[in-house]
């Protein structure tokens, strides 16, 4: 049997930064400076951050490490950013994506009823050229990857260059050698 120690986090408080407020679709959300946006939204009780592109299933923060696409949001006017990797700033504007008309309402739930064995979007409406053109336009509007950015490019924070004598990448046999 493996023994695990229970750690009382009150004994090891984490530095959270200054209290701030970010804005989610016009509503203020309490946050702390430099904590990830996804953490602030999760702490505020918001679990659904976007909807999946193909079937519009609810998506939320899953890994909190930037390894999945569950928390893709429009943050600071830039679409498709992982909210778990974006630091919260006072007044930061955040919007959920792929949500028409809203994240709470699954407009495409009818697809489950219409296509009980799944929908093959490659062959949907291909018998008629006019119908296919209309359906392509609808699919692009409904299942897109968010609106275009408000500004050109997404600038990363400045990182000062470092000069090091030795850089070891990895702690496996090659790195240790």
């Amino acid at each position: 049997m493996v023994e695990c120690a229970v750690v009382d986090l009150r004994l090891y408080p984490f530095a959270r930064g200054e209290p701030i407020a970010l804005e989610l679709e016009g509503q203020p959300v309490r946050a702390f400076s430099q904590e990830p946006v996804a953490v602030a939204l999760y702490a505020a009780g918001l679990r659904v951050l976007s909807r999946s592109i193909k079937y519009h299933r609810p998506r939320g923060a899953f890994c909190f490490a930037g390894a999945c696409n569950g928390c893709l949001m429009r943050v600071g006017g830039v679409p498709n950013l992982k909210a778990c990797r974006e630091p919260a700033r006072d007044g930061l504007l955040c919007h959920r994506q792929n949500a028409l008309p809203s994240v709470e309402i699954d407009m495409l739930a009818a697809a489950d009823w219409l296509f009980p064995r799944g929908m093959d979007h490659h062959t949907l409406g291909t018998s008629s050229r006019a119908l296919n053109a209309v359906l392509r336009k609808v699919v692009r509007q409904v299942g897109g990857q968010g609106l275009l950015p408000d500004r050109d490019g997404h600038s990363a924070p400045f990182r000062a260059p470092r000069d090091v004598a030795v850089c070891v990448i990895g702690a496996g046999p090659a790195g240790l050698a």
Side-chain angles (χ1 to χ4, degrees), residues 86-123:
E86 291 298 315
R89 299 181 303 279
D90 196 34
L92 182 66
L93 301 176
C94 303
H95 292 87
R96 297 180 271 195
Q97 293 187 165
N98 302 327
L100 186 66
S102 71
V103 130
E104 290 81 18
I105 298 171
D106 183 8
M107 184 180 85
L108 296 182
D112 294 338
W113 180 75
L114 291 170
F115 307 100
R117 287 188 250 153
M119 176 176 54
D120 181 6
H121 63 284
H122 296 288
T123 60

Side-chain angles (χ1 to χ4, degrees), residues 5 111 143 147 160 167:
L147 302 173
C167 178

Side-chain angles (χ1 to χ4, degrees), residues 7 10 15 56 60 85 90 100 109 131 134 137 171 173:
V7 177
R10 291 174 293 177
H56 274 228
R85 306 293 274 168
D90 196 34
L100 186 66
L131 177 63
V134 169
K137 186 172 182 172

